[in-house]
Amino acid sequence: MTVVHSAYCASKFSSLVIFDLIWVVMESEMMTSSTWRKVAYGGMQPGFDDNHTDDSFLEEMVMNANVVKRDILKVMLDSVSISQYLCIVALVGLVWTYTLRSILNENSLLLLDVTLLGLGFLVLLLTKEMLSFNLFMRYLLNISFFISGLYVLAPIYQTLTTSISSNSIWAVTVALLVLHLFLHDYFGSTVRAPGALHNPTLTSCISLNASVVASVFIASCLRSRLQVFAIMLFSLQVFLFAPLVTYCIKKYSFRLHLWFSFGLMIATLVFVYTLHLLLFVMLLGLLVFVTVVCPYWLIRMQEYKFEIKGPWDEAKLCFDITD
């Protein structure tokens, strides 16, 4: 009986050993024959570490997939909008200077205000595809309220900076204009234009506020209430409605936009030349830098742009999440 039991135990042990050997061989064959797969979930794959990658990992790498090849002529034409607005701000500075020097009186300023307002509405009417009659009447009503309120507030503007020196006023004004130019939306309008798809951005609103404060500082240096009203009306017409008018011109005809911009540049350079030669050279250099040098730099920098995309990047939605 003891012999039989020993023989049974020996046979059972040998069968277990054989089964374990077969399992080890099968597992090793599975490990050698299995291939690595890129999976997002599902745990570790047998025979591979959790951070394992093979040679196929870089096959999906794409270089410079979203780099846009830009044409230098198109970039230069797009930069005309920036040069145009630089000239508009320069003309505002000229009018401020001539007013403070008593070259322009209140009658000349009021005539200039009426002329600019009439030309602005004429441009809006000529671009009738962009402007409906109801929208035009709404603009007209808002401007009438705006002018009335500005005339009432003129005495307050006149006394805002009586205790501040003129040098400080000019320093703050120049700083505010630089901030205005830096944050301005050169391809849109802070006043919502007809056909605009988006509302004004926060930076464009800050830019507009900076220009309004600069106008108040300059107006407070004048002695006549009518002069304060006229210079404030001129400044706010330009800073508020000039971008709207230029936006409508550009949407109506890009060629007309180019002719208008180049004509404005020439007129501004002529007026600045009559004021001071150094200012003329500085403005001319700035316009050349913005219109020619900056586009050239942008095109040259595109050659050194290197962007890679691959399976390590985060997933991106191919649809709008608001839909």
Side-chain angles (χ1 to χ4, degrees), residues 60 75 79 81 104 108 140 151 179 198 233 241 244 252 299 308 321:
E60 300 180 17
V75 177
S79 66
S81 298
L104 291 175
S108 302
L140 189 61
Y151 183 78
L179 179 64
H198 303 287
L233 181 59
F241 302 114
L244 174 62
Y252 180 75
I299 298 299
I308 60 174
I321 195 172

Side-chain angles (χ1 to χ4, degrees), residues 9-223:
C9 291
S11 63
K12 186 175 182 180
F13 177 75
S14 62
S15 63
L16 290 175
V17 171
I18 294 172
F19 179 77
D20 290 339
L21 290 175
I22 294 173
W23 175 258
V24 170
V25 171
M26 291 178 60
E27 186 177 11
S28 62
E29 291 179 353
M30 289 175 60
M31 292 176 60
T32 55
S33 61
S34 61
T35 57
W36 176 80
R37 296 178 300 107
K38 184 181 69 175
V39 292
Y41 303 100
M44 295 178 58
Q45 300 182 46
F48 300 100
D49 296 331
D50 186 48
N51 59 348
H52 175 80
T53 56
D54 65 353
D55 296 337
S56 64
F57 184 72
L58 296 179
E59 291 179 355
E60 300 180 17
M61 184 179 68
V62 180
M63 294 184 294
N64 296 335
N66 299 323
V67 176
V68 179
K69 299 297 182 180
R70 303 181 186 274
D71 180 45
I72 187 170
L73 180 61
K74 185 180 184 303
V75 177
M76 291 175 64
L77 292 178
D78 290 337
S79 66
V80 170
S81 298
I82 304 176
S83 301
Q84 178 198 77
Y85 195 76
L86 290 175
C87 291
I88 290 175
V89 175
L91 288 175
V92 173
L94 284 175
V95 173
W96 287 352
T97 304
Y98 287 146
T99 304
L100 293 175
R101 291 183 178 182
S102 300
I103 299 176
L104 291 175
N105 55 22
E106 55 267 20
N107 295 326
S108 302
L109 286 174
L110 288 174
L111 179 61
L112 180 61
D113 293 339
V114 173
T115 303
L116 289 179
L117 192 61
L119 289 175
F121 275 113
L122 180 62
V123 170
L124 294 179
L125 286 175
L126 290 177
T127 56
K128 56 185 178 181
E129 291 85 355
M130 303 285 298
L131 185 68
S132 63
F133 179 76
N134 293 332
L135 186 59
F136 174 77
M137 293 303 298
R138 190 176 68 181
Y139 281 160
L140 189 61
L141 183 63
N142 291 337
I143 289 176
S144 62
F145 286 129
F146 170 76
I147 294 175
S148 302
L150 195 61
Y151 183 78
V152 173
L153 295 175
I156 300 176
Y157 296 146
Q158 189 178 1
T159 58
L160 280 178
T161 59
T162 53
S163 60
I164 304 176
S165 65
S166 58
N167 292 334
S168 300
I169 291 175
W170 274 108
V172 174
T173 301
V174 171
L176 288 172
L177 286 181
V178 171
L179 179 64
H180 169 69
L181 290 173
F182 184 75
L183 298 178
H184 180 70
D185 183 10
Y186 291 95
F187 299 99
S189 173
T190 306
V191 178
R192 185 169 176 82
L197 299 178
H198 303 287
N199 291 322
T201 60
L202 175 62
T203 55
S204 63
C205 294
I206 296 175
S207 172
L208 178 60
N209 290 330
S211 64
V212 171
V213 176
S215 304
V216 171
F217 271 95
I218 292 298
S220 63
C221 298
L222 302 175
R223 299 179 179 179

